[in-house]
Amino acid sequence: GWTLTNTCTSTVVANAPAGTYKTGNTEYSDEVCVPTGGAYSFLITDSFGDGICCSYGTGFYNVFKNDVSEIDGGEFGQEETKTFGQCTETPAPQAPPTPAPQTPPTPAPQ
């Protein structure tokens, strides 16, 4: 299984529990929408403890964000965690400056 966590907010964004992908020699694909910006932690687990590559096949994973590969792998033991992105604070909206009040000239007494 796998878990994608927003590390800026410590919120689990999406996950697939262990046992979700059971059929060998099959390519699986999941799509998850995440907020722009942010840092993410991707944890992948293998119940047999031999990863998804190399001992029994040539499995791999690849995590994309906006069609750009952020992390990939496959050769690990029981689990692997990789991170990508960075926490960015959204600046508070700035109101445009208010022009100084203008008072019309006072006519001179006659």
Side-chain angles (χ1 to χ4, degrees):
W2 58 265
T3 302
L4 182 66
T5 303
N6 181 325
T7 58
C8 303
T9 61
S10 299
T11 305
V12 172
V13 177
N15 72 325
T20 300
Y21 311 110
K22 293 182 180 181
T23 306
N25 298 315
T26 302
E27 183 174 323
Y28 293 95
S29 178
D30 294 296
E31 188 170 324
V32 177
C33 293
V34 298
T36 56
Y40 297 92
S41 171
F42 180 76
L43 165 69
I44 186 167
T45 58
D46 177 65
S47 59
F48 290 108
D50 61 354
I52 56 176
C53 175
C54 306
S55 295
Y56 299 98
T58 56
F60 67 94
Y61 67 88
N62 202 334
V63 176
F64 290 83
K65 185 174 179 191
N66 297 327
D67 296 325
V68 174
S69 175
E70 295 285 348
I71 55 172
D72 59 24
E75 195 170 352
F76 58 93
Q78 192 80 28
E79 65 181 41
E80 178 171 71
T81 301
K82 290 191 177 180
T83 58
F84 61 96
Q86 61 184 359
C87 298
T88 55
E89 292 186 28
T90 306
Q94 300 279 333
T98 305
Q102 305 238 347
T103 53
T106 305
Q110 296 193 7

